[in-house]
Amino acid sequence: MTGKDIEQRHEEQLKGSSGGGGIRAYLLHRAKPYLPPWLGAGTIGVTGAAANLVWQGDTGMGVLLTLGSVALTGSTWWAAKGTGKERRLHSAITVAAGSSWFTSAALFGPSWDMWFVGGIVTALSWNVRQIMRRDPDGAKASSSDGGLMEKIGLAKAKMGAAKVEPNRVTVPVALEAGTQSNDDMAKALVNVASALDIPATAVRYLPDPNSARRGDLVIVPMDMLADTVRWEENGPSLPGGSITDPLVLGVYDDGSPLMLWLPGDPNAGRNATHLLIAGMTGAGKGDGALNLMTEILSRTDVVLWLNDPKGFQDFRPLLPGIDWATDATGTETMVEAVVSVIPARTSWLGAHRYRQWEQAAAGAQNDPAHSCRPDGACGCPGLPFLVSWFEEAGVSLSVLGDDAFNNIANLARAAGVALVVSLQRPSHDQISTTTRDALGSRLCFGVPNATAAGFMLPDAAIDAGAAPERWSNRRPGYCYLVTPGVDEGRYSSPGRTRWFTPSAISLMEAVAGWAARNGADIGSVTADAAAKAVGKAYTERARHQEENPEAGDEDEEETVSQLDDEDRDIDPNEELPPARPGEENIVFDQGDGVELSREEARTALQEIVAQFEDEGTMVIGVVDVMEHAERFGRKRGWVSGELQQMLQEGRLAITAKPGRYRIVPVMADA
């Protein structure tokens, strides 16, 4: 019967007949639950007196009764093992006392004084226990958690009033002082999920930073991520907005938006950040990258540089909106360019009195507070935010070394540059821990094991219940986001990015076309620094144009010609003109094995370096030159020494990786 049924029956009894029969019936009914202990005590007294008439002085029966008393007490202790400690002990003592009195009464005669006092005390103890079990306050306290804490092994923990939101329940928890801590609650989360029969990822615990035994238990009863959301259904979240507005990637499991910021905001107390994206094959990392990239391209004050060793397999529809895109051959060049533009950008920001990049820096500088002149507004063109994205960075790092991005990660935030690094597993053998720690934001998709999760997520998020290894790659798009500007309690909440289908390509192309027409211009500060560092690799970069129906070209890349103006009309099939005086002394191939003179070889090496520059290959090493140097009989030691000489002469510059050199463009000083 429910509590309401009991109260109703009680009310009916109180309103019943007031006659003698009604009162007696009511009293008897109320006394019934408390009669069994008294009946038991009476039964023992009667049977003990009767047994004395049969077995008085019987030694053999005394031994049997003693053994029976011990066996009965042990059986009671064993049978009560599923009950509470207090009930088990109370039952065993009662049985031991009753069987001992019965044995003594049967052999030596009943001791009625002991029976009277002992029977009353024993019966009353069980009556008191029964009354306390029905205490309304105790029942209310017990029902507050439905016995949940007892089931998970934290019986003395207290749960407060639950805060119920749409698909989210938050319950304050106070653990027992001195014996329980927040660590115990974090370890019991799987048991909580089991008790509630919900997925393990639907339960998390958010410790109170000011207490070692208090926190909030968060339960998300319904997985709102199960239904896949197509990106093309909504497209970018804020077309025409600023990069300082949140970038929406999807939703959390309670339906709230999954979003991050790349620039900092001192008013909001948010630092600028870099982003590390990681997840195993098939976990949805590619769609997550597309969500972020389309958000970036839909903003008006940001420029995107992309390096993709896969040759833009996923990103090709977005290329018209990207300022500079390189494949595997241009990775080193882009790294050197980004490193070189950082001081130029920080110098501009400092001259215009910006401690960090902010939205006002992207427009014309008409505010005297941000002027590089002491006598009023300078009107200088703005400096857009720059995102430098290295996709499948594991391939790049295998070539450049695990610390290739160290300088960028440590210096770029102050320059209004965000570094995005995407790879499958950010372990120490892939990327240096220094770089990984400098990438303040993490977008973690499914991983194969808890060790891989530890490379991406902070310990606090894992302790609170974050476990991307639980879904691995079985739920593409499921992820955890750790980033400044988002409440740390959200770090352990799973989200899901939106899904890109083949039908999204047309909208992606529209976003890229919009970005090409309305996006930010790179600006002279960044462009000049990049050109000075890598020359034609940037100034003659491939420009991916929008589809032009009138021209009939569906997917065309327009590249600025690398020929000088006076050479544009040369027919490549014509015979070369006779060598002019002095040119016949430069020989690149001695088929007869005759070595060039030192000056001839040095001239040939300079021509090879110039050829690399013309082709846009701005980072070289001995191994690259040897492919050409072998034609004129020079060894690696000679080539290495000559490159060092060119380094001293300023034709080459050092890079982050030992043994690799950046070609200094011929016109860089000009």
Side-chain angles (χ1 to χ4, degrees):
M1 298 177 66
T2 64
K4 184 176 181 180
D5 295 334
I6 294 175
E7 292 180 4
Q8 183 177 359
R9 184 171 180 177
H10 188 197
E11 186 71 17
E12 292 174 353
Q13 291 173 340
L14 292 177
K15 292 181 179 179
S17 173
S18 59
I23 294 175
R24 285 193 300 272
Y26 171 73
L27 293 176
L28 180 62
H29 176 75
R30 299 294 292 178
K32 281 180 182 179
Y34 305 100
L35 290 179
W38 298 96
L39 294 176
T43 301
I44 289 175
V46 173
T47 56
N52 178 256
L53 299 176
V54 179
W55 297 322
Q56 184 175 13
D58 190 334
T59 305
M61 183 56 65
V63 173
L64 292 176
L65 289 175
T66 301
L67 294 175
S69 298
V70 174
L72 182 60
T73 302
S75 299
T76 303
W77 180 261
W78 174 82
K81 66 179 181 179
T83 64
K85 295 180 180 179
E86 297 83 359
R87 185 179 183 87
R88 188 182 190 186
L89 184 62
H90 194 182
S91 300
I93 292 174
T94 300
V95 171
S99 59
S100 297
W101 187 91
F102 178 85
T103 299
S104 176
L107 297 177
F108 308 110
S111 174
W112 295 112
D113 293 339
M114 185 177 293
W115 171 81
F116 183 78
V117 176
I120 291 177
V121 171
T122 302
L124 285 175
S125 69
W126 281 98
N127 290 164
V128 170
R129 184 181 185 88
Q130 193 167 7
I131 291 173
M132 296 305 296
R133 189 187 309 124
R134 295 184 179 184
D135 177 62
D137 295 334
K140 182 177 180 181
S142 176
S143 63
S144 64
D145 64 2
L148 175 63
M149 288 301 171
E150 184 175 357
K151 291 179 181 177
I152 65 174
L154 300 174
K156 295 184 179 181
K158 303 298 182 183
M159 300 180 69
K163 177 183 178 182
V164 181
E165 303 171 274
N167 198 40
R168 183 183 178 95
V169 179
T170 304
V171 185
V173 175
L175 301 167
E176 185 183 21
T179 61
Q180 298 172 347
S181 68
N182 289 330
D183 290 341
D184 298 317
M185 189 66 206
K187 295 174 183 177
L189 290 180
V190 174
N191 295 333
V192 174
S194 175
L196 300 177
D197 194 19
I198 56 178
T201 53
V203 182
R204 37 207 173 262
Y205 181 68
L206 309 179
D208 185 342
N210 299 317
S211 174
R213 67 179 187 92
R214 297 181 185 274
D216 291 332
L217 180 65
V218 179
I219 302 169
V220 180
M222 183 178 66
D223 185 5
M224 299 186 67
L225 307 179
D227 295 331
T228 304
V229 177
R230 297 172 181 263
W231 173 82
E232 59 268 27
E233 293 179 2
N234 297 309
S237 64
L238 190 62
S242 169
I243 191 64
T244 58
D245 296 315
L247 306 173
V248 181
L249 310 181
V251 295
Y252 285 105
D253 58 352
D254 61 357
S256 57
L258 179 73
M259 57 189 183
L260 63 84
W261 293 261
L262 293 177
D265 184 354
N267 295 326
R270 185 184 71 245
N271 292 325
T273 187
H274 304 307
L275 176 65
L276 176 61
I277 305 175
M280 63 186 300
T281 301
K285 181 164 58 71
D287 279 1
L290 286 172
N291 275 278
L292 177 58
M293 195 171 292
T294 51
E295 287 289 290
I296 293 172
L297 292 178
S298 67
R299 308 304 168 87
T300 59
D301 49 6
V302 60
V303 173
L304 177 63
W305 287 356
L306 170 66
N307 175 256
D308 184 7
K310 293 193 304 182
F312 321 116
Q313 181 179 3
D314 295 329
F315 308 117
R316 187 162 294 277
L318 299 176
L319 289 179
I322 299 174
D323 179 72
W324 186 18
T326 61
D327 57 16
T329 62
T331 304
E332 289 180 293
T333 301
M334 181 170 285
V335 170
E336 292 301 315
V338 176
V339 170
S340 299
V341 304
I342 289 173
R345 292 174 62 91
T346 53
S347 176
W348 187 94
L349 289 169
H352 289 84
R353 305 175 191 174
Y354 292 102
R355 296 192 64 186
Q356 62 175 303
W357 188 93
E358 56 188 76
Q359 186 177 1
Q365 302 303 292
N366 297 321
D367 185 354
H370 294 293
S371 174
C372 61
R373 293 168 46 185
D375 56 347
C378 60
C380 293
L383 184 74
F385 195 78
L386 175 62
V387 176
S388 180
W389 188 309
F390 291 87
E391 182 68 16
E392 293 296 344
V395 177
S396 305
L397 291 167
S398 66
V399 176
L400 305 179
D402 61 0
D403 60 350
F405 301 132
N406 274 356
N407 289 339
I408 301 175
N410 292 325
L411 302 175
R413 290 190 304 134
V417 178
L419 173 63
V420 179
V421 177
S422 176
L423 70 168
Q424 292 188 14
R425 181 183 173 90
S427 55
H428 64 275
D429 58 339
Q430 288 282 308
I431 185 171
S432 73
T433 54
T434 302
T435 302
R436 190 173 64 198
D437 292 344
L439 302 175
S441 294
R442 312 289 176 84
L443 184 59
C444 179
F445 292 86
V447 295
N449 50 55
T451 301
F455 293 139
M456 284 292 290
L457 300 175
D459 293 341
I462 294 176
D463 292 341
E469 71 276 9
R470 288 190 180 130
W471 58 65
S472 186
N473 60 357
R474 294 183 296 274
R475 297 183 181 180
Y478 278 58
C479 59
Y480 291 100
L481 177 62
V482 176
T483 186
V486 173
D487 181 58
E488 292 185 5
R490 285 285 188 188
Y491 291 175
S492 58
S493 299
R496 190 173 192 179
T497 58
R498 294 168 292 181
W499 183 30
F500 281 72
T501 66
S503 61
I505 293 178
S506 59
L507 183 54
M508 293 168 63
E509 292 173 340
V511 171
W514 182 92
R517 296 187 302 271
N518 304 292
D521 180 79
I522 187 65
S524 60
V525 174
T526 306
D528 291 349
K532 185 174 182 179
V534 298
K536 294 180 180 179
Y538 180 74
T539 59
E540 297 186 3
R541 63 197 182 279
R543 310 306 299 273
H544 303 268
Q545 303 296 330
E546 292 182 78
E547 181 179 343
N548 185 354
E550 297 180 359
D553 296 330
E554 296 184 356
D555 186 8
E556 180 181 354
E557 296 182 3
E558 178 186 323
T559 304
V560 179
S561 173
Q562 297 183 1
L563 294 175
D564 295 331
D565 292 338
E566 62 269 20
D567 296 333
R568 293 184 185 277
D569 297 328
I570 294 178
D571 185 351
N573 296 319
E574 290 184 0
E575 292 292 335
L576 292 175
R580 290 177 290 183
E583 292 182 341
E584 64 274 4
N585 294 328
I586 300 177
V587 181
F588 290 89
D589 187 3
Q590 293 287 350
D592 57 1
V594 179
E595 292 188 3
L596 301 179
S597 66
R598 177 179 176 82
E599 292 303 321
E600 290 173 338
R602 291 197 67 188
T603 302
L605 180 58
Q606 293 170 357
E607 291 288 345
I608 292 171
V609 172
Q611 180 180 345
F612 278 123
E613 181 181 357
D614 289 339
E615 294 172 353
T617 303
M618 301 302 294
V619 180
I620 61 174
V622 175
V623 64
D624 304 298
V625 177
M626 285 301 297
E627 296 179 2
H628 300 270
E630 289 174 352
R631 294 182 304 183
F632 52 87
R634 292 295 177 177
K635 304 296 184 181
R636 290 180 61 93
W638 181 86
V639 173
S640 178
E642 289 300 316
L643 292 182
Q644 287 290 330
Q645 182 63 31
M646 297 177 75
L647 177 64
Q648 296 178 9
E649 295 171 353
R651 184 67 172 104
L652 301 178
I654 60 173
T655 66
K657 185 176 181 180
R660 304 294 290 175
Y661 305 92
R662 174 173 60 83
I663 300 174
V664 178
V666 174
M667 297 300 293
D669 293 337

